[in-house]
Amino acid sequence: MTKPRVVCVAGARPNFVKIAPIMAALSADRFEVTLVHTGQHYDAKLSQVFFDELEIREPDMFLKVGSGSHASQTADLLEKFEPVLTKIQPHLVLVVGDVNSTVACAMAASKFKLNQSFSWSEEKSRTRPLVAHVEAGLRSGDRAMPEEINRLITDVISDLLLTSESSGTKNLIAEGIEPKKIHFVGNVMIDSLFKAQEKIVKGAFVSSLGLTSQKYGVVTLHRPSNVDEQSAFLDLLQAIDEIAESLELVFPMHPRTQKKISELGFKPRGNWHFIPPAGYLDFVALMKDAKIVLTDSGGIQEETTMLGVRCLTLRTTTERPSTITDGTNKLVGIAPAAIKSAFAKSIKSEVSEKRPKMWDGKAAIRIAATLENLKIQQP
Ligand code: UD1
């Protein structure tokens, strides 16, 4: 009997944080695992540093997809992932999150015909790989977000929908996904976060920037909707600049943000530290000691909730509502007046101590158990 062949896909920065605990949990005794790095993110600061710090082994295959428009990047991913399927003949392809690598590899896998059929708990004979989506069911309701399109498509073609919070399960059921395909496993980002907290040297990165715990805030912005349009981005920065007059702010910048900000001619009045993208451990250390975080990221809403740090989300929607109902997040929008007043209010109020269910550091173990229960067999 052969071991189930599993291909794990990771392509962009947030994927690496999610794939790390899954790679660690998929035991080599039970599965033959191939790790594919699509190369969507390729800069060392967005990729290699995450592999090093999260102790992810070298990828078995690197697809060198790189940057491009959505259409060309997705097309390149589809084309480059197919030979991986031909070579490995996987029983299951596991994708995480909502980036272009996620949807493209799920699509290629769901249409791929294997050389040999196999059986699993639900079917006696099957000739296409199963697709498992980790972080399934999250919905912002905003189809102008490329990630929302990626989530919808990935979920509709996945055979196993592994959800991270209760809204994910509810959304999938409301969309007509068969309940037996859905498994609430918890949040793998938090598995990585717990491990990182054990590793960081307390205070080291924060003091290397000349900052003092609780006396600064952190800003991250990279969504096209916030940074791509010059006047909207400038308005946003000017609103945050007023905050920087009363609280020192650190802004680790994603490459696209760095590029856009240099074109703006933004003249800050407040006390800012503009720094390159931080590595994973440094960024966790930075969040942990911050008074407040202002962000448009998805993962940071979750991480601040678990660290018990105030988070203001500078977007009009979130696909992670449990961070609001059971965490420290506030959805503030992007209007300058709303940001300033939310900041003033938040800084004076207590931080919620509620936490979402099953964000306990054991999500990857539950994912591995779910895959074992599939009883994949090939004669
Ligand atoms: C991608 C994800 C987004 C995620 C983000 C995390 C999609 C649709 N978007 O956005 O959901 O929140 O990653 O960072 O998949 N670039 C570099 N170096 C790199 C990679 C990219 O400089 O290693 C620059 C390039 O100019 C590129 C731009 O960033 O054109 C955008 O990269 P891309 O992968 O298309 O999307 P992100 O904005 O990074």
Side-chain angles (χ1 to χ4, degrees), residues 14 40-43 46 67 70 99-100 147 222 254-256:
Q40 178 174 344
H41 282 177
Y42 41 85
D43 280 346
L46 300 188
S67 305
H70 283 273
V99 303
N100 287 346
E147 294 82 1
H222 75 283
H254 182 286
R256 80 180 303 135

